[in-house]
Amino acid sequence: MSHFKAPPKKNLGQHFLTDRNIIEQIVHALDPKPGDLLVEIGPGQGAITFPLLKKHGHLTVIEFDRDLITPLSEAAHGLGELTIVHKDVLQVDFNKLGADQAIRLIGNLPYNISTPILFHVLSHCQKIRDMHFMLQKEVVDRMAAEPGSKVYGRLSVTLQALCEVIPLFDVPPHSFNPPPKVDSAVVRLIPRPADTVGIHDSAMFAAVVRDAFGQRRKTLRNALSKLCTSEQMQAVDIKPESRAEQLPVSAFIRLANLLSA
Ligand code: SAM
């Protein structure tokens, strides 16, 4: 009999994966190797957790819903060593998980707070080896968008500056209970080594990207007028009459570095 009695909670973004093929595809994409430190955000009723635990033998999960903590621990019995962190993932300091070892993060994320979770984990980027996340397909499209695309924006530039973004496969609503209203997709993020990112001042980089896309229809000359002059843009090979959506990630980094020098 199932250990899980409570119905899915909308306010916690609970859409439980029920499609075995998709679960297998996720485990296959993760391809855990002995010794890997696996951490799952939002295990829910264990759709991904238990297959991973059986395969890998140990796993740490971070779950906010108190009604799931005891059932998770009971259902894990005999499958492997499950460490349950009962916490809001936004309060978790990933640097304190698992000594010096880099984390492999995985999660079918609660869509209502997926962007804050992404930015929170990115602030621990150097502790993370890779991430496999289920998100709204629309978010994955924005994460992976290239310059010139309509959906290339703040999320694309911020993420691509810090990580390699690799969309893996799409997942339809009927793979979940209850089905979400939108299509989903699984994405792999691989943090770039710190010495190759090249951002000198992350606050300045964030400000440049925010202002550039805050007024995406405006030319960069107008959108960035509070932060820099046309001459400064030209000094790093940016045309002041161009728009943010045309600018590659490397150009945002060059401009931010010039302004923080
Ligand atoms: N992994 C399960 C699956 O695939 O069926 C559940 C995924 S469900 C989309 C998201 C999970 O994240 C839920 O279990 C929910 O309780 C949990 N969650 C929501 N907000 C959270 C938070 N702030 N911190 C940690 N977990 C959270």
Side-chain angles (χ1 to χ4, degrees):
M1 218 174 77
S2 173
H3 295 269
F4 299 93
K5 310 265 185 261
K9 293 175 182 151
K10 208 173 168 185
N11 64 330
L12 288 176
Q14 292 183 351
H15 295 276
F16 298 124
L17 256 175
T18 50
D19 184 329
R20 284 180 182 282
N21 285 332
I22 297 293
I23 294 165
E24 255 174 46
Q25 278 189 65
I26 294 173
V27 174
H28 185 257
L30 182 69
D31 191 19
K33 296 285 187 270
D36 283 354
L37 173 59
L38 303 185
V39 177
E40 185 187 6
I41 298 172
Q45 300 185 343
I48 310 169
T49 319
F50 297 132
L52 266 183
L53 194 58
K54 271 189 217 157
K55 193 177 167 78
H56 194 61
H58 54 96
L59 185 69
T60 296
V61 296
I62 301 162
E63 177 56 65
F64 193 39
D65 183 357
R66 77 156 67 97
D67 292 341
L68 293 171
I69 304 302
T70 305
L72 272 168
S73 124
E74 285 173 359
H77 216 76
L79 298 182
E81 189 190 328
L82 185 67
T83 306
I84 304 177
V85 179
H86 178 200
K87 232 176 170 176
D88 174 357
V89 65
L90 297 176
Q91 305 302 323
V92 172
D93 182 351
F94 287 93
N95 292 320
K96 295 200 173 132
L97 286 181
D100 287 340
Q101 206 183 345
I103 294 171
R104 304 196 65 199
L105 255 187
I106 181 161
N108 169 13
L109 297 185
Y111 292 171
N112 49 343
I113 55 162
S114 60
T115 308
I117 293 178
L118 282 173
F119 282 96
H120 179 67
V121 297
L122 284 177
S123 68
H124 296 84
C125 230
Q126 294 317 315
K127 172 74 179 171
I128 296 169
R129 191 171 111 204
D130 59 19
M131 301 165 243
H132 290 78
F133 290 144
M134 174 92 74
L135 292 156
Q136 300 103 304
K137 179 171 164 39
E138 169 263 329
V139 173
V140 172
D141 289 345
R142 283 196 282 130
M143 287 161 79
E146 309 238 327
S149 149
K150 269 196 191 132
V151 293
Y152 181 68
R154 197 171 160 191
L155 188 66
S156 333
V157 175
T158 312
L159 261 161
Q160 291 172 30
L162 298 174
C163 300
E164 198 184 339
V165 179
I166 306 161
L168 296 179
F169 50 89
D170 295 348
V171 183
H174 62 73
S175 299
F176 304 84
N177 173 41
K181 290 203 176 72
V182 293
D183 282 331
S184 302
V186 175
V187 65
R188 176 183 293 145
L189 303 174
I190 307 177
R192 302 186 192 283
D195 54 349
T196 67
V197 171
I199 298 172
H200 298 164
D201 176 342
S202 32
M204 177 58 81
F205 176 71
V208 168
V209 178
R210 183 197 57 222
D211 280 16
F213 285 104
Q215 320 245 359
R216 61 186 290 143
R217 279 157 192 269
K218 288 195 178 178
T219 61
L220 288 169
R221 177 188 289 113
N222 289 332
L224 293 177
S225 61
K226 286 204 191 100
L227 285 176
C228 65
T229 63
S230 294
E231 288 70 32
Q232 285 173 310
M233 288 185 219
Q234 279 156 341
V236 288
D237 278 335
I238 294 174
K239 294 193 181 92
E241 64 277 13
S242 60
R243 290 182 168 74
E245 64 201 40
Q246 297 157 333
L247 221 55
V249 175
S250 55
F252 287 98
I253 297 177
R254 285 201 305 276
L255 182 59
N257 287 349
L258 177 86
L259 300 178
S260 61

